[in-house]
Coordinates of all heavy atoms in Angstrom, one line a residue:
R1 N -14.8 -2.7 -25.8 CA -15.7 -2.8 -24.6 C -16.6 -4.0 -24.7 O -16.8 -4.7 -23.7 CB -16.5 -1.5 -24.4 CG -16.9 -1.3 -23.0 CD -17.8 -0.2 -22.8 NE -19.2 -0.5 -23.3 CZ -20.2 0.3 -23.2 NH1 -20.1 1.5 -22.6 NH2 -21.4 0.0 -23.7
N2 N -17.1 -4.3 -25.9 CA -17.9 -5.5 -26.1 C -17.2 -6.8 -25.8 O -17.7 -7.7 -25.2 CB -18.5 -5.5 -27.6 CG -19.6 -4.6 -27.8 OD1 -20.2 -4.0 -26.8 ND2 -19.9 -4.3 -29.1
H3 N -15.9 -6.8 -26.2 CA -15.1 -8.0 -25.9 C -14.7 -8.1 -24.4 O -14.7 -9.2 -23.9 CB -13.8 -8.0 -26.8 CG -13.2 -9.4 -26.9 ND1 -13.8 -10.5 -27.4 CD2 -11.9 -9.8 -26.5 CE1 -13.0 -11.5 -27.4 NE2 -11.9 -11.1 -26.8
M4 N -14.5 -6.9 -23.8 CA -14.3 -6.9 -22.4 C -15.5 -7.5 -21.6 O -15.4 -8.2 -20.6 CB -14.1 -5.5 -21.9 CG -12.7 -5.0 -22.1 SD -12.5 -3.3 -21.5 CE -10.7 -3.0 -21.7
D5 N -16.7 -7.2 -22.1 CA -18.0 -7.7 -21.5 C -18.0 -9.2 -21.6 O -18.5 -9.9 -20.7 CB -19.2 -7.1 -22.2 CG -19.5 -5.6 -21.8 OD1 -19.0 -5.2 -20.8 OD2 -20.2 -5.0 -22.6
K6 N -17.4 -9.8 -22.6 CA -17.4 -11.2 -22.8 C -16.4 -11.9 -21.8 O -16.6 -12.9 -21.3 CB -17.1 -11.6 -24.2 CG -18.1 -11.2 -25.2 CD -17.7 -11.6 -26.6 CE -18.7 -11.2 -27.7 NZ -18.2 -11.5 -29.1
T7 N -15.2 -11.2 -21.7 CA -14.1 -11.9 -20.9 C -14.2 -11.5 -19.5 O -13.7 -12.3 -18.6 CB -12.8 -11.5 -21.5 OG1 -12.5 -10.1 -21.3 CG2 -12.7 -11.7 -23.0
G8 N -14.7 -10.3 -19.1 CA -14.5 -9.8 -17.8 C -13.2 -9.1 -17.7 O -12.2 -9.4 -18.5
V9 N -13.0 -8.3 -16.7 CA -11.7 -7.6 -16.5 C -11.4 -7.6 -15.0 O -12.2 -7.1 -14.2 CB -11.8 -6.1 -17.0 CG1 -10.4 -5.5 -16.8 CG2 -12.3 -6.0 -18.4
D10 N -10.3 -8.1 -14.6 CA -9.8 -8.0 -13.2 C -8.7 -6.9 -13.0 O -8.7 -6.2 -12.0 CB -9.2 -9.3 -12.8 CG -10.2 -10.4 -12.7 OD1 -11.2 -10.3 -11.9 OD2 -10.1 -11.4 -13.4
F11 N -7.9 -6.7 -14.0 CA -6.8 -5.7 -14.0 C -6.8 -5.1 -15.4 O -6.8 -5.8 -16.4 CB -5.5 -6.4 -13.7 CG -4.3 -5.4 -13.6 CD1 -3.9 -4.9 -12.4 CD2 -3.6 -5.1 -14.8 CE1 -2.8 -4.0 -12.4 CE2 -2.5 -4.2 -14.7 CZ -2.1 -3.7 -13.5
A12 N -6.6 -3.8 -15.5 CA -6.6 -3.1 -16.8 C -5.6 -1.9 -16.7 O -5.6 -1.2 -15.7 CB -8.0 -2.6 -17.2
M13 N -4.8 -1.8 -17.8 CA -3.9 -0.7 -17.9 C -4.1 -0.1 -19.3 O -3.9 -0.8 -20.3 CB -2.4 -1.1 -17.7 CG -1.4 0.1 -17.8 SD 0.3 -0.4 -17.5 CE 0.3 -0.6 -15.7
D14 N -4.4 1.2 -19.3 CA -4.5 2.0 -20.5 C -3.3 2.8 -20.7 O -3.0 3.7 -19.8 CB -5.8 2.9 -20.4 CG -6.0 3.8 -21.6 OD1 -5.4 3.5 -22.7 OD2 -6.8 4.7 -21.5
V15 N -2.5 2.6 -21.7 CA -1.1 3.2 -21.8 C -1.2 4.5 -22.7 O -1.7 4.4 -23.8 CB -0.1 2.2 -22.4 CG1 1.3 2.7 -22.3 CG2 -0.2 0.9 -21.6
H16 N -0.6 5.5 -22.2 CA -0.6 6.9 -22.8 C 0.7 7.6 -22.8 O 1.7 7.1 -22.2 CB -1.7 7.7 -22.2 CG -3.1 7.4 -22.5 ND1 -3.8 8.1 -23.4 CD2 -3.8 6.4 -22.0 CE1 -5.1 7.5 -23.4 NE2 -5.1 6.5 -22.6
G17 N 0.8 8.8 -23.3 CA 1.9 9.7 -23.1 C 1.3 11.1 -22.7 O 0.2 11.4 -23.2
D18 N 2.1 11.8 -21.9 CA 1.7 13.1 -21.5 C 2.6 14.2 -22.0 O 3.8 14.1 -21.9 CB 1.6 13.2 -20.0 CG 1.1 14.5 -19.5 OD1 -0.1 14.7 -19.3 OD2 1.9 15.5 -19.2
E19 N 2.0 15.3 -22.6 CA 2.8 16.3 -23.3 C 3.6 17.2 -22.3 O 4.7 17.6 -22.7 CB 1.9 17.2 -24.1 CG 1.3 16.5 -25.3 CD 0.1 15.6 -25.0 OE1 -0.3 15.5 -23.8 OE2 -0.4 14.9 -25.9
A20 N 3.1 17.4 -21.1 CA 3.7 18.5 -20.3 C 4.5 18.0 -19.1 O 5.5 18.6 -18.7 CB 2.6 19.4 -19.8
I21 N 4.0 16.9 -18.5 CA 4.7 16.4 -17.2 C 5.9 15.5 -17.5 O 5.7 14.5 -18.2 CB 3.6 15.6 -16.4 CG1 2.4 16.5 -16.0 CG2 4.3 15.2 -15.1 CD1 1.3 15.9 -15.2
P22 N 7.1 15.9 -17.1 CA 8.3 15.2 -17.5 C 8.7 14.0 -16.7 O 9.8 13.8 -16.3 CB 9.3 16.3 -17.4 CG 8.9 17.1 -16.3 CD 7.4 17.1 -16.3
V23 N 7.7 13.1 -16.4 CA 7.9 11.9 -15.6 C 6.9 10.9 -16.1 O 5.9 11.2 -16.7 CB 7.8 12.2 -14.1 CG1 8.9 13.0 -13.6 CG2 6.4 12.8 -13.8
S24 N 7.1 9.6 -15.6 CA 6.1 8.6 -15.8 C 5.2 8.5 -14.5 O 5.8 8.6 -13.4 CB 6.7 7.3 -16.1 OG 7.4 7.3 -17.3
F25 N 3.9 8.3 -14.7 CA 3.1 8.2 -13.5 C 1.8 7.5 -13.8 O 1.5 7.2 -15.0 CB 2.7 9.6 -13.0 CG 2.0 10.5 -14.0 CD1 0.6 10.6 -14.0 CD2 2.7 11.3 -14.9 CE1 -0.1 11.4 -14.9 CE2 2.0 12.1 -15.8 CZ 0.7 12.2 -15.8
L26 N 1.0 7.1 -12.8 CA -0.3 6.5 -13.0 C -1.4 7.4 -12.6 O -1.3 8.2 -11.7 CB -0.3 5.2 -12.1 CG 0.5 4.0 -12.6 CD1 0.4 2.9 -11.5 CD2 0.0 3.5 -13.9
A27 N -2.5 7.2 -13.3 CA -3.8 7.9 -12.8 C -4.8 6.8 -12.6 O -4.9 5.8 -13.4 CB -4.3 8.8 -13.9
G28 N -5.5 6.9 -11.5 CA -6.4 5.8 -11.1 C -7.9 6.2 -11.3 O -8.2 7.0 -12.3
F29 N -8.8 5.7 -10.5 CA -10.2 5.8 -10.8 C -10.9 6.4 -9.6 O -12.1 6.1 -9.3 CB -10.8 4.4 -11.1 CG -10.4 3.3 -10.2 CD1 -11.1 3.0 -9.0 CD2 -9.2 2.6 -10.4 CE1 -10.7 2.0 -8.1 CE2 -8.8 1.6 -9.5 CZ -9.6 1.3 -8.4
E30 N -10.2 7.2 -8.8 CA -10.9 7.9 -7.7 C -12.1 8.6 -8.2 O -12.1 9.3 -9.2 CB -9.9 8.8 -7.0 CG -8.7 8.2 -6.3 CD -7.5 8.0 -7.2 OE1 -7.7 8.2 -8.5 OE2 -6.5 7.5 -6.7
G31 N -13.2 8.6 -7.5 CA -14.4 9.3 -7.9 C -15.4 8.5 -8.6 O -16.5 9.0 -8.9
I32 N -15.2 7.2 -8.9 CA -16.2 6.4 -9.5 C -17.3 6.2 -8.5 O -17.1 6.1 -7.3 CB -15.7 5.1 -10.0 CG1 -15.2 4.2 -8.9 CG2 -14.6 5.3 -11.1 CD1 -14.9 2.8 -9.4
P33 N -18.6 6.1 -8.9 CA -19.7 5.9 -8.0 C -19.6 4.7 -7.1 O -20.0 4.7 -5.9 CB -20.9 5.8 -8.9 CG -20.5 6.6 -10.1 CD -19.1 6.3 -10.3
S34 N -19.0 3.6 -7.6 CA -19.0 2.4 -6.8 C -17.7 2.2 -6.0 O -17.4 1.1 -5.6 CB -19.2 1.2 -7.7 OG -18.1 1.1 -8.7
W35 N -16.9 3.3 -5.9 CA -15.6 3.2 -5.2 C -15.7 2.5 -3.9 O -16.6 2.7 -3.1 CB -15.0 4.6 -5.0 CG -13.8 4.6 -4.1 CD1 -13.8 4.7 -2.8 CD2 -12.4 4.6 -4.5 NE1 -12.5 4.8 -2.3 CE2 -11.7 4.7 -3.3 CE3 -11.8 4.5 -5.7 CZ2 -10.3 4.7 -3.3 CZ3 -10.4 4.5 -5.7 CH2 -9.6 4.6 -4.6
T36 N -14.7 1.5 -3.7 CA -14.6 1.0 -2.3 C -13.1 1.1 -2.0 O -12.2 1.1 -2.8 CB -15.0 -0.5 -2.3 OG1 -14.1 -1.3 -3.1 CG2 -16.4 -0.7 -2.7
D37 N -12.8 1.1 -0.7 CA -11.4 1.2 -0.2 C -10.7 -0.1 -0.6 O -9.5 0.0 -0.9 CB -11.4 1.3 1.3 CG -11.9 2.7 1.7 OD1 -11.9 3.6 0.9 OD2 -12.2 2.9 2.9
E38 N -11.4 -1.2 -0.7 CA -10.7 -2.5 -1.1 C -10.2 -2.4 -2.5 O -9.1 -2.8 -2.8 CB -11.6 -3.6 -0.9 CG -11.9 -4.0 0.6 CD -13.0 -3.1 1.2 OE1 -13.6 -2.3 0.4 OE2 -13.3 -3.3 2.4
Q39 N -11.1 -1.9 -3.4 CA -10.7 -1.8 -4.8 C -9.6 -0.7 -5.0 O -8.6 -1.0 -5.7 CB -12.0 -1.3 -5.6 CG -11.7 -1.3 -7.1 CD -12.9 -0.8 -7.9 OE1 -13.9 -0.3 -7.3 NE2 -12.9 -0.9 -9.2
G40 N -9.7 0.4 -4.3 CA -8.7 1.4 -4.4 C -7.3 0.9 -3.8 O -6.3 1.3 -4.4
E41 N -7.4 0.1 -2.8 CA -6.2 -0.3 -2.2 C -5.3 -1.2 -3.1 O -4.1 -1.1 -3.1 CB -6.5 -1.1 -0.9 CG -5.3 -1.3 0.1 CD -4.4 -2.5 -0.3 OE1 -4.9 -3.4 -1.0 OE2 -3.2 -2.5 0.1
R42 N -6.0 -2.0 -4.0 CA -5.3 -2.8 -4.9 C -4.5 -1.9 -5.9 O -3.4 -2.2 -6.3 CB -6.3 -3.7 -5.7 CG -6.9 -4.8 -4.8 CD -7.6 -5.9 -5.6 NE -8.7 -5.4 -6.4 CZ -9.9 -5.3 -6.0 NH1 -10.2 -5.7 -4.7 NH2 -10.9 -4.9 -6.8

């Protein structure tokens, strides 16, 4: 996070595995306090 603060972040992907759901999928950031439709649309 400290290095992110130095570089800034425009796009980020955190890569994981899920134990139960037998497909690949994305989870977003709905519910953040600063949510905007523009940010969500990207």
Side-chain angles (χ1 to χ4, degrees):
R1 205 187 73 174
N2 283 347
H3 199 58
M4 285 179 169
D5 285 340
K6 294 178 182 177
T7 68
V9 186
D10 295 300
F11 179 96
M13 181 178 286
D14 178 18
V15 189
H16 287 257
D18 184 89
E19 291 78 4
I21 302 177
V23 291
S24 295
F25 61 96
L26 289 173
F29 49 91
E30 296 88 353
I32 63 170
S34 64
W35 167 275
T36 66
D37 290 341
E38 290 82 4
Q39 186 183 9
E41 198 275 339
R42 294 194 296 271

